[in-house]
Amino acid sequence: MSDPPLVPPHEVDPVRLGAYFALIEVTSLLRHAIEQQLHEDGGLTFVRFQVLMRLHRSPTGSHRMTDLADAIVVSRSGLTYQAGLLEKAGLVARSPSPDDERGVTITITDAGRALLGRVLPGHEEVVGDLLFEPLSRADARALADLLAPVRDHMRAAPPRSASRRRARPTAEG
Amino acid sequence: MSDPPLVPPHEVDPVRLGAYFALIEVTSLLRHAIEQQLHEDGGLTFVRFQVLMRLHRSPTGSHRMTDLADAIVVSRSGLTYQAGLLEKAGLVARSPSPDDERGVTITITDAGRALLGRVLPGHEEVVGDLLFEPLSRADARALADLLAPVRDHMRAAPPRSASRRRARPTAEG
DNA sequence: TAGACCTGCTTCGACTTCGAAGCAACTAGG
DNA sequence: CCTAGTTGCTTCGAAGTCGAAGCAGGTCTA
């Protein structure tokens, strides 16, 4: 008798819990719907779509591989794989970076932009219907204003397993 | 000359765009950090963690497979796979549902709850540090209040490729 | 009760994803 | 110029994910 509790009881802020759960659930559902639309309308996955979008929105139409991987939050090897597929499909081109021989620059092609043109309307429709339908203009702005600092904070935070686990306020610089 | 533009120019609400991008980026980064912490602290993936959490928070400690798959937004086959792993590890048990012979009820074990107990502190730390650090209490509440209706709307929406693509207001019932 | 249909779960094959290891090219210090 | 260490990308094997197909168990209608 009197076993220690399997999950030590601790009070979790229910407001935070609700925000966290809703965030995970909303993006899971949204991503799922987006994947489906992209697949139907253009044979794309969300990752490949993000690659094309980032390149398309870049002034030069291109990026270094590593920068792109960080931007869309995917592993380097994962991006290599997807870039290979996109290249085989003629949607991007890869070339050695001019300044650094080991670097690879990935560039969107006209075919890539054309595919985006075919896929974007449906994409906007899905996002509009699912994410923004229940949100007023002010709500959308509020959401953006809440998430922007969070994103900046996460980007600034030690990218991977640095610190953590030693949250004690030590005197290290 | 005068080729048609590859991507037809259309005005996208920059506020919506910012909210959408920030949402995707924030959850991608958050999920990445969470996966890492769960793996280090308990050899769990996020999906397996979600399974255990849902079961743990259920009054009976159990769920039907299909309901659980819908709840955590994963395919049925995917859940079957993960449930197999969790069962092999002794963290859950599967049994035929009492009312419906083809249904399978999955139940968390004491070992499953114990593992949660070991993993949850680190989990809360990561979520707190990354997601909520830049947010005030009021911000967290605002975020939850914004996302709750979105979640409800998404849950209510036709789960998969229904309607869409015929957004034109036709006279069909 | 029979037949047709539907549902819940699992199996299967294809694809995606990751981290570790490998390789080429930069950089620093002598 | 060497050597050592670092950085950028790819290859490789292991694991996770999905949808389609399969199968057993329900449900409906006559």
Side-chain angles (χ1 to χ4, degrees):
Chain A
M1 52 217 67
S2 85
D3 296 326
L6 299 170
V7 180
H10 47 193
E11 66 292 359
V12 179
D13 183 341
V15 170
R16 285 187 167 198
L17 202 64
Y20 168 51
F21 281 8
L23 183 71
I24 294 297
E25 201 169 342
V26 158
T27 39
S28 294
L29 291 165
L30 181 61
R31 244 186 110 124
H32 201 269
I34 289 173
E35 292 266 13
Q36 194 151 326
Q37 179 267 322
L38 291 173
H39 185 74
E40 287 172 9
D41 291 2
L44 288 176
T45 62
F46 190 45
V47 171
R48 286 201 282 272
F49 172 72
Q50 280 182 298
V51 169
L52 292 180
M53 278 298 280
R54 290 273 180 178
L55 296 178
H56 172 61
R57 294 171 62 82
S58 157
T60 63
S62 56
H63 272 302
R64 294 280 300 273
M65 290 286 283
T66 293
D67 299 340
L68 188 53
D70 285 348
I72 68 181
V73 192
V74 78
S75 70
R76 281 101 211 268
S77 53
L79 179 58
T80 294
Y81 173 76
Q82 293 296 346
L85 294 183
L86 287 167
E87 189 175 40
K88 202 177 308 180
L91 303 171
V92 305
R94 276 186 291 186
S95 58
S97 296
D99 53 324
D100 187 339
E101 193 61 30
R102 2 170 231 178
V104 168
T105 297
I106 178 172
T107 308
I108 190 169
T109 64
D110 284 356
R113 296 196 199 261
L115 180 57
L116 271 188
R118 263 177 284 133
V119 153
L120 271 177
H123 181 74
E124 289 167 19
E125 186 181 339
V126 169
V127 175
D129 288 353
L130 281 183
L131 177 60
F132 291 114
E133 208 276 332
L135 297 181
S136 70
R137 254 191 99 61
D139 288 342
R141 182 180 305 278
L143 185 61
D145 289 348
L146 281 170
L147 292 178
V150 175
R151 179 199 54 215
D152 296 344
H153 171 69
M154 287 179 172
R155 287 293 189 189
R160 273 157 152 79
S161 60
S163 68
R164 244 190 356 100
R165 202 82 322 122
R166 61 190 74 274
R168 216 91 51 71
T170 59
E172 55 93 23
Chain B
M1 50 215 69
S2 84
D3 296 325
L6 299 172
V7 180
H10 46 191
E11 67 291 0
V12 179
D13 182 342
V15 170
R16 286 187 166 200
L17 203 63
Y20 169 49
F21 281 9
L23 184 71
I24 294 296
E25 203 169 341
V26 158
T27 40
S28 294
L29 291 165
L30 180 61
R31 243 187 110 123
H32 201 271
I34 289 173
E35 293 265 13
Q36 194 151 326
Q37 179 268 322
L38 291 173
H39 185 72
E40 286 171 10
D41 291 3
L44 287 176
T45 62
F46 190 45
V47 170
R48 285 200 283 272
F49 172 71
Q50 280 182 299
V51 169
L52 293 180
M53 277 299 280
R54 290 274 180 178
L55 297 179
H56 173 62
R57 294 170 60 81
S58 158
T60 63
S62 56
H63 272 302
R64 294 282 300 272
M65 290 287 283
T66 294
D67 300 340
L68 188 54
D70 285 348
I72 67 181
V73 192
V74 77
S75 69
R76 282 100 210 272
S77 52
L79 179 58
T80 293
Y81 174 74
Q82 293 296 348
L85 294 184
L86 287 167
E87 188 175 41
K88 201 176 312 181
L91 303 171
V92 306
R94 278 186 289 187
S95 58
S97 294
D99 51 325
D100 187 339
E101 194 59 29
R102 46 203 173 144
V104 168
T105 297
I106 178 172
T107 308
I108 189 169
T109 64
D110 283 357
R113 296 197 200 261
L115 180 57
L116 271 187
R118 262 178 283 135
V119 154
L120 272 176
H123 180 73
E124 288 166 19
E125 185 181 339
V126 169
V127 174
D129 288 354
L130 281 183
L131 177 59
F132 290 114
E133 206 278 332
L135 298 181
S136 70
R137 256 192 95 65
D139 288 342
R141 182 180 305 277
L143 185 61
D145 289 348
L146 282 170
L147 293 178
V150 175
R151 180 200 53 214
D152 295 345
H153 171 68
M154 288 178 171
R155 287 293 189 188
R160 270 154 151 82
S161 61
S163 66
R164 247 189 357 98
R165 200 78 328 115
R166 61 189 75 274
R168 214 94 51 71
T170 60
E172 54 93 26

